[in-house]
Amino acid sequence: MTGLDPAEEAAKTDALRKMDNAAKEKIKNAKAVHESAAAMAARALGWGTVYAFAGCGLLFYSVWRFLGVNNLKEFREKTGNFLPKIPKKAKEPGERTEFSGINDFLTYIIEKDKEDKLLKEKLKSSSE
């Protein structure tokens, strides 16, 4: 029972009789190939993850072999010599680097911002 009324069922049966076997096979296979969007997305995510890990692993392994290192300490030393040095900014007087928590850090940023605004206003008013 396909849920079609008798006239539609007769038209379908007549059309199927006129079709060749190859067309019938295509219709049967097309019904079996359909999958949900979630299943297709999960499959794509799985293959993407495999390709990403394989590609990054190959890249890291080739860099490791190119540098000719045997352990992480050698790798760190060779990459440290190969890559440019990042200059460190000098610490200004009164500048903090250690905070007890996020609230302490945010309070410090707000206070520094207020100080900077007051300094800019003083400079602006003195230049006028």
Side-chain angles (χ1 to χ4, degrees):
M1 206 58 201
T2 59
L4 300 175
D5 66 11
E8 292 172 335
E9 188 68 40
K12 178 183 169 189
T13 307
D14 187 43
L16 285 175
R17 252 188 261 129
K18 291 180 183 177
M19 269 193 225
D20 60 347
N21 287 335
K24 289 179 186 177
E25 286 298 318
K26 286 182 183 179
I27 290 173
K28 287 179 186 177
N29 291 339
K31 288 179 184 176
V33 170
H34 290 300
E35 63 181 325
S36 71
M40 189 173 8
R43 191 165 42 102
L45 181 63
W47 280 109
T49 303
V50 168
Y51 288 142
F53 273 92
C56 288
L58 182 64
L59 174 70
F60 300 150
Y61 180 74
S62 60
V63 169
W64 183 276
R65 297 304 295 172
F66 176 72
L67 291 175
V69 295
N70 295 321
N71 55 34
L72 284 175
K73 184 177 180 184
E74 289 178 20
F75 181 77
R76 183 179 58 85
E77 290 171 358
K78 284 202 176 186
T79 54
N81 294 334
F82 180 72
L83 296 173
K85 304 279 187 266
I86 299 173
K88 293 194 176 190
K89 182 181 141 188
K91 185 177 171 185
E92 296 177 10
E95 188 175 350
R96 291 176 57 188
T97 57
E98 299 293 325
F99 301 97
S100 62
I102 189 73
N103 289 334
D104 187 26
F105 175 65
L106 292 174
T107 304
Y108 171 74
I109 290 176
I110 292 169
E111 290 172 1
K112 280 300 243 183
D113 189 48
K114 287 178 183 178
E115 289 175 12
D116 290 344
K117 285 181 182 178
L118 287 173
L119 183 63
K120 285 180 183 178
E121 287 176 6
K122 286 180 183 177
L123 290 173
K124 186 178 179 183
S125 63
S126 66
S127 65
E128 290 178 350

